[in-house]
Amino acid sequence: AQKITQTQPGMFVQEKEAVTLDCTYDTSDQSYGLFWYKQPSSGEMIFLIYQGSYDEQNATEGRYSLNFQKARKSANLVISASQLGDSAMYFCAMRAYNTDKLIFGTGTRLQVFP
Amino acid sequence: GAGVSQSPSNKVTEKGKDVELRCDPISGHTALYWYRQSLGQGLEFLIYFQGNSAPDKSGLPSDRFSAERTGGSVSTLTIQRTQQEDSAVYLCASSETSGSLDTQYFGPGTRLTVL
């Protein structure tokens, strides 16, 4: 069975600082993808970044980067230069190659303060 | 281009009534997914459609839940005889295909409240 664990229910960070949101996963599949989504108070799920299990380089998208450590089964999201608009819930998710659905963690609420 | 759209954005209903929730996927996306998010929880997979193939209904919580996808585009999620535990945000997502690890793009959701 696949499982995503996000151990930080809430995080605070000061504007312009970097923050790391933790995500660990469990799967017996060799081929899988890891995703991070942002959910602001409006409720929409916004795709941020994707890492494939065979990708050798860590994924980066603007201020977002994914610290992928395959042996440790972790896929932490790093947000650099935090902005007030980054305040939201952040969900880590995974999908095995031979399945249809995304498995989500319980999320981390990030609050950015001035 | 236009993203995934869902309607209504909010729905309040009485226990025992039936409700229909609608999803319009991104044009050209062949895969469509329904998820449910209860208060303070992550997302729970409900059902998945890929083209004309039989849907994967493995996540539907009971036989009160059903979904259709007409013409390979718009989808409707129907909940019959609603219960208070059905109160949640229902999110629809679509992706270009499902044979690879394509990114799923989500709609804004429908917030369902069962009184």
Side-chain angles (χ1 to χ4, degrees), chain A residues 61-103:
Chain A
E61 289 285 348
R63 296 186 298 109
Y64 304 108
S65 60
L66 201 152
N67 184 0
F68 180 47
Q69 298 187 40
K70 192 171 182 177
R72 298 179 64 180
K73 293 189 174 179
S74 75
N76 298 340
L77 177 70
V78 181
I79 305 174
S80 62
S82 297
Q83 301 172 358
L84 296 177
D86 294 335
S87 294
M89 283 289 288
Y90 289 81
F91 290 95
C92 180
M94 74 171 293
R95 181 183 175 191
Y97 182 76
N98 61 349
T99 64
D100 311 321
K101 57 192 176 186
L102 283 170
I103 304 298

Side-chain angles (χ1 to χ4, degrees), chain A residues 37 39 95 97 100-102, chain B residues 33 35 37 56 98 104:
Chain A
Y37 286 85
Q39 187 177 42
R95 181 183 175 191
Y97 182 76
D100 311 321
K101 57 192 176 186
L102 283 170
Chain B
Y33 311 79
Y35 293 85
Q37 185 177 27
D56 175 359
S98 67
Q104 296 179 23

Side-chain angles (χ1 to χ4, degrees), chain A residues 38-56:
Chain A
K38 172 184 178 181
Q39 187 177 42
S41 55
S42 60
E44 186 175 358
M45 294 287 284
I46 302 168
F47 166 71
L48 296 178
I49 196 167
Y50 162 80
Q51 178 86 40
S53 58
Y54 291 114
D55 294 341
E56 294 185 354

Side-chain angles (χ1 to χ4, degrees), chain A residues 6-11 88-89 106-110:
Chain A
Q6 293 180 256
T7 57
Q8 305 156 316
M11 290 284 286
M89 283 289 288
T106 52
T108 295
R109 181 171 297 281
L110 177 66

Side-chain angles (χ1 to χ4, degrees), chain B residues 11-48:
Chain B
K11 177 71 176 178
V12 180
T13 191
E14 293 179 349
K15 178 181 174 181
K17 302 281 191 183
D18 298 351
V19 295
E20 284 189 354
L21 313 179
R22 176 188 168 105
C23 172
D24 268 289
I26 293 172
S27 178
H29 281 193
T30 61
L32 185 148
Y33 311 79
W34 283 97
Y35 293 85
R36 176 170 72 174
Q37 185 177 27
S38 301
L39 186 64
Q41 302 293 314
L43 275 69
E44 170 192 14
F45 168 78
L46 295 177
I47 189 169
Y48 152 76

Side-chain angles (χ1 to χ4, degrees), chain B residues 37-72:
Chain B
Q37 185 177 27
S38 301
L39 186 64
Q41 302 293 314
L43 275 69
E44 170 192 14
F45 168 78
L46 295 177
I47 189 169
Y48 152 76
F49 295 90
Q50 169 56 43
N52 295 320
S53 302
D56 175 359
K57 304 179 182 179
S58 61
L60 294 178
S62 77
D63 58 7
R64 296 185 295 104
F65 288 73
S66 63
E68 290 184 340
R69 189 179 185 193
T70 55

